[in-house]
Amino acid sequence: MSKAVEVFSLFTDFDISLFRSGKHFRLYEKFGSQTVFLDGRQGVYFAVWAPNAKKISVIGNFNGWNPYSHELYVRWDESGIWEGVIFNIGIGEVYKYRIETYSGEILEKADPFSLTMEIPPKTASVVSTTWHQWQDDKWMRDRHERNRLDRPMSVYELHIGSWIRDPYNPDRLLSYREIAEKLVPYVKSLGFTHVEFMPIMEHPYYPSWGYQITGYFAASSRYGTPQELMYLIEQLHKNEIGVILDWVPSHFPGDAHGLYRFDGSALYEHEDIRKGFHPDWKSYIFNYGRNEVRSFLISNALFWLDRYHIDGLRVDAVASMLYLDYSRNEGEWIPNEFGGRENLEAVYFLKEFNEAVYSNYPDVQTIAEESTSWPGVSKPTYDGGLGFGMKWMMGWMHDTLNYFKEDPIHRKYHHSQLTFSSVYAYHEHFMLPLSHDEVVYGKQSLVNKMSGDEWQKFANLRALYLFMYTFSGTKLIFMGGEFGQTSEWNVNQSLDWHLMAFPPHKGLFEFLKKLNATYKEQPALYEKAFSPEGFEWLELNDADNSVLAYVRKGHDRHNDLVVVLNLTPVVREGYRIGVPSKGNWEVIFNSDELEYFGSGVNIGNIKSDAIHWMNQDNSVSLKLPPLGGVILKLTT
């Protein structure tokens, strides 16, 4: 055995016991490459899990990629962990693990716990650190107030490499620090409460958008160092903006340097492709039944919350995890032990993940992208649920977009697409998403999904946003949707920022800015966002006129709001709406204002009449703007 590697371990017997039982959730403190000082000498401690390996050596620039000079030691406890210290190397060292299997296969693998990887297409790991002198104490101290389910949450989803690029060199990706200088004031001016970054973990294939991850613990080097990403997060926090990360525990790619057949065996995935291969994404499914794999994944979730001060995790493709037959034909999947299609091991993992997150970080949120009717996704695990804080409301999204695609003359036949979701809106804690998935692959941009000419398209989109922000649940809009990006999202180029010079786009931007402000200012829009007590229909059956009216309620009835939507291009004079209280009602928001590129229909303040209407003792007569909506609030 090479004396160039010294025997040393960061693992206690208790660590090993926890790891092997699937209960060690801080593995990033033990595995990977850790700088150490032993006997006055600086070195790097390496630890890697590879139980099927015959030999493992660390290769890199420091030893000329010599496969024999720096062999690691396998632990004596049958844990499958190889480890050792190499002296006289440190931060910045490039390395891989050379793995020789018992079958004679030679593999060169990146470190699964690497904190930094080379910029793709290079694939080696880099000895790194996540040390940072954080300056977001106030945010971290107070975020339990910001992240509560009875507080406003409007999320700006973005892909960090295509939000904006160097205008003088469009092929150049901006660094995390450069993005911070532009993104933070922009999001703050728009009034979003949170940003959501599409996956920023290292991924070799850029057009995967980050969803095919090889470096689960490595912030993508395409945009800079871990500390530069921390600076971006810190600046958002200093401006009272929370940060949600997309997290992908559902699958990983088959790149030769990644997790796939890491030690020559199906270590992280299943051996049987009926359980271990994802037919849609040509990727590999984690083996949630393996204790060490669950420890790896939950440690990864906590890593981002711990080291990067992340405020929430949006878990991708949960439906694909829950069902053994997801996207599979008969004979292509294996039933569970009871003969069912539910992936019981994945269910156990998701519950354990949520319990670990909320027990360690009770002031964050987990959000499930789950597209089926699986019961109790956002119910606590002690009540039989999966334990997520929220779930994307995919049904609302599809129904609403399909409705707004319709020509207004036909909308009366599709009226239920806007009202039906209220039947199940309180089965879960729902987030209403208009995400990246809806503006790619020929689906068109949001504004071009809308019916009509240019004016009508923008009016429709403003009405859709008003409906979204005044309906129950939290909100998410993908980048470009705030100013009416006309082309589909393209991961290889910047958003079309030049459009902001044109009145329809500038008007939509100003509209959304005011809508975010109104959402945060009006408790009725968020205090009971997940309760049927916070929502009451006034008019849901007027399909002929395509008019909807409803009340949003908070804890104080004096804060109640009345929302009225007219989803045809016809101005409706004298439309009577029941109201929950008598007095003067003020229009606090009108999507048809001239500054928003609307038609400027003036409604003014309205005094209620003692006329029983829509099951209310009082009512008002309104002039409804075309393809628009208004929010009313009682003033006296």
Side-chain angles (χ1 to χ4, degrees):
M1 179 62 71
S2 168
K3 296 301 182 184
V5 178
E6 186 158 319
V7 177
F8 177 77
S9 183
L10 289 178
F11 288 92
T12 65
D13 290 344
F14 186 51
D15 286 324
I16 297 298
S17 173
L18 288 175
F19 175 53
R20 299 185 72 177
S21 62
K23 299 297 182 182
H24 201 310
F25 300 149
R26 303 278 179 177
L27 292 179
Y28 53 90
E29 296 176 350
K30 308 292 179 177
F31 277 110
S33 55
Q34 314 266 355
T35 53
V36 293
F37 289 88
L38 297 175
D39 301 324
R41 292 188 296 167
Q42 177 186 300
V44 175
Y45 166 74
F46 294 91
V48 60
W49 178 53
N52 192 49
K54 182 180 180 182
K55 290 181 182 178
I56 297 183
S57 56
V58 182
I59 55 175
N61 291 333
F62 69 95
N63 64 6
W65 301 87
N66 184 334
Y68 308 109
S69 61
H70 292 81
E71 293 181 6
L72 297 179
Y73 300 90
V74 66
R75 287 183 64 91
W76 61 91
D77 52 18
E78 298 183 348
S79 62
I81 297 171
W82 298 71
E83 60 187 351
V85 171
I86 301 174
F87 287 106
N88 301 318
I89 64 171
I91 301 295
E93 199 66 60
V94 175
Y95 71 99
K96 279 187 176 181
Y97 295 120
R98 182 187 185 271
I99 301 173
E100 180 182 338
T101 71
Y102 279 99
S103 64
E105 193 176 3
I106 302 297
L107 306 169
E108 291 187 2
K109 293 288 189 178
D111 191 336
F113 285 86
S114 173
L115 301 177
T116 302
M117 296 180 71
E118 289 184 298
I119 299 173
K122 294 182 177 180
T123 58
S125 297
V126 182
V127 178
S128 187
T129 177
T130 53
W131 186 90
H132 179 65
Q133 189 66 55
W134 283 93
Q135 298 178 30
D136 62 349
D137 291 353
K138 184 178 187 304
W139 170 267
M140 296 299 285
R141 185 175 62 249
D142 298 340
R143 76 172 175 183
H144 64 283
E145 284 294 322
R146 306 279 183 178
N147 267 354
R148 282 169 34 178
L149 293 177
D150 61 353
R151 299 290 295 164
M153 180 177 282
S154 59
V155 181
Y156 184 67
E157 184 195 23
L158 71 145
H159 177 267
I160 209 162
S162 55
W163 181 71
I164 195 168
R165 291 194 176 185
D166 185 339
Y168 303 105
N169 181 9
D171 290 332
R172 186 177 79 85
L173 299 174
L174 299 186
S175 70
Y176 296 117
R177 185 173 281 271
E178 288 175 305
I179 289 167
E181 304 310 319
K182 299 177 182 297
L183 180 66
V184 175
Y186 182 78
V187 174
K188 187 174 184 179
S189 73
L190 271 168
F192 284 99
T193 66
H194 292 70
V195 297
E196 179 181 321
F197 292 128
M198 291 170 69
I200 55 173
M201 302 79 178
E202 197 59 84
H203 52 287
Y205 184 55
Y206 190 69
S208 76
W209 310 339
Y211 291 99
Q212 299 264 3
I213 297 169
T214 48
Y216 271 81
F217 292 83
S220 180
S221 297
R222 289 178 174 93
Y223 314 109
T225 66
Q227 287 70 27
E228 288 179 303
L229 173 56
M230 292 171 185
Y231 173 83
L232 168 57
I233 294 166
E234 187 174 79
Q235 294 305 307
L236 288 162
H237 283 173
K238 284 183 174 181
N239 287 274
E240 301 183 336
I241 301 165
V243 180
I244 300 167
L245 276 193
D246 266 13
W247 186 57
V248 191
S250 48
H251 64 118
F252 59 88
D255 293 73
H257 69 285
L259 297 178
Y260 174 64
R261 299 196 72 84
F262 187 79
D263 63 357
S265 69
L267 190 61
Y268 288 89
E269 69 274 26
H270 293 271
E271 188 71 53
D272 192 322
I273 64 168
R274 291 175 295 175
K275 295 181 74 174
F277 181 72
H278 200 296
D280 283 354
W281 303 314
K282 312 302 182 199
S283 55
Y284 296 87
I285 299 167
F286 283 103
N287 182 354
Y288 308 109
R290 189 160 196 168
N291 292 340
E292 294 90 344
V293 171
R294 292 200 312 279
S295 275
F296 171 82
L297 287 170
I298 296 175
S299 290
N300 184 245
L302 297 194
F303 167 82
W304 292 102
L305 303 174
D306 174 16
R307 298 286 178 87
Y308 283 87
H309 288 198
I310 295 302
D311 306 295
L313 295 170
R314 176 264 192 187
V315 182
D316 182 63
V318 171
S320 75
M321 300 168 66
L322 291 174
Y323 298 98
L324 294 164
D325 63 345
Y326 184 88
S327 202
R328 296 175 188 272
N329 299 317
E330 191 69 34
E332 295 178 348
W333 59 284
I334 304 173
N336 64 34
E337 59 187 287
F338 302 108
R341 56 196 285 256
E342 300 81 12
N343 188 335
L344 302 179
E345 293 169 346
V347 171
Y348 178 81
F349 161 72
L350 289 169
K351 290 182 177 183
E352 191 173 39
F353 151 75
N354 278 309
E355 288 170 356
V357 167
Y358 282 111
S359 62
N360 285 277
Y361 301 96
D363 53 353
V364 306
Q365 292 291 348
T366 62
I367 305 159
E369 187 216 9
E370 202 286 307
S371 54
T372 74
S373 56
W374 185 280
V377 171
S378 58
K379 277 189 176 180
T381 56
Y382 61 74
D383 196 22
L386 294 181
F388 285 93
M390 281 171 273
K391 169 183 170 174
W392 274 17
M393 196 176 188
M394 311 295 273
W396 173 90
M397 178 190 70
H398 291 306
D399 286 349
T400 301
L401 289 177
N402 286 335
Y403 176 90
F404 276 91
K405 289 176 187 175
E406 293 290 338
D407 187 302
I409 201 169
H410 301 305
R411 284 180 176 171
K412 61 184 176 181
Y413 305 113
H414 301 272
H415 197 69
S416 64
Q417 287 183 309
L418 290 192
T419 61
F420 177 69
S421 57
S422 64
V423 173
Y424 62 90
Y426 309 104
H427 294 176
E428 302 277 2
H429 297 154
F430 279 120
M431 173 175 279
L432 312 182
L434 294 171
S435 76
H436 64 274
D437 277 327
E438 303 314 305
V439 293
V440 288
Y441 299 144
K443 295 180 183 177
Q444 297 187 304
S445 65
L446 279 183
V447 72
N448 279 331
K449 291 178 191 287
M450 302 295 107
S451 171
D453 59 21
E454 181 185 60
W455 187 90
Q456 291 180 339
K457 285 180 184 295
F458 279 87
N460 271 310
L461 189 53
R462 294 193 304 272
L464 187 161
Y465 286 159
L466 182 61
F467 175 55
M468 174 188 192
Y469 270 74
T470 56
F471 196 69
S472 299
T474 53
K475 331 294 175 186
L476 178 141
I477 291 176
F478 183 57
M479 65 181 196
E482 75 275 17
F483 62 80
Q485 169 97 1
T486 50
S487 59
E488 288 188 346
W489 170 50
N490 183 344
V491 73
N492 292 310
Q493 65 186 47
S494 169
L495 294 180
D496 294 330
W497 293 105
H498 64 278
L499 293 177
M500 288 281 281
F502 298 96
H505 302 275
K506 179 65 173 173
L508 182 62
F509 179 89
E510 294 299 328
F511 163 85
L512 194 58
K513 182 192 294 187
K514 178 65 183 297
L515 188 57
N516 265 320
T518 302
Y519 173 54
K520 291 191 288 188
E521 289 164 1
Q522 300 299 327
L525 293 178
Y526 58 80
E527 285 182 340
K528 296 181 178 179
F530 305 112
S531 168
E533 297 174 356
F535 185 95
E536 178 186 353
W537 283 112
L538 294 170
E539 177 58 81
L540 79 162
N541 295 316
D542 190 0
D544 286 342
N545 290 312
S546 298
V547 171
L548 295 172
Y550 45 91
V551 184
R552 287 303 308 276
K553 305 174 184 180
H555 298 311
D556 184 345
R557 62 184 298 271
H558 294 99
N559 290 328
D560 286 359
L561 303 176
V562 171
V563 182
V564 189
L565 297 170
N566 172 27
L567 300 176
T568 62
V570 178
V571 176
R572 302 206 177 275
E573 303 273 0
Y575 194 97
R576 187 160 292 278
I577 296 290
V579 290
S581 301
K582 68 177 181 178
N584 293 314
W585 287 81
E586 174 189 2
V587 178
I588 64 168
F589 194 90
N590 179 359
S591 72
D592 190 51
E593 299 282 2
L594 287 173
E595 66 174 306
Y596 307 147
F597 194 62
S599 64
V601 168
N602 184 26
I603 299 169
N605 292 347
I606 307 107
K607 185 174 177 60
S608 69
D609 306 312
I611 299 175
H612 187 87
W613 205 261
M614 298 178 180
N615 294 317
Q616 307 296 317
D617 291 334
N618 298 277
S619 57
V620 297
S621 179
L622 287 178
K623 184 178 185 180
L624 300 184
L627 291 176
V630 295
I631 304 176
L632 309 178
K633 187 173 184 179
L634 190 68
T635 58
T636 56

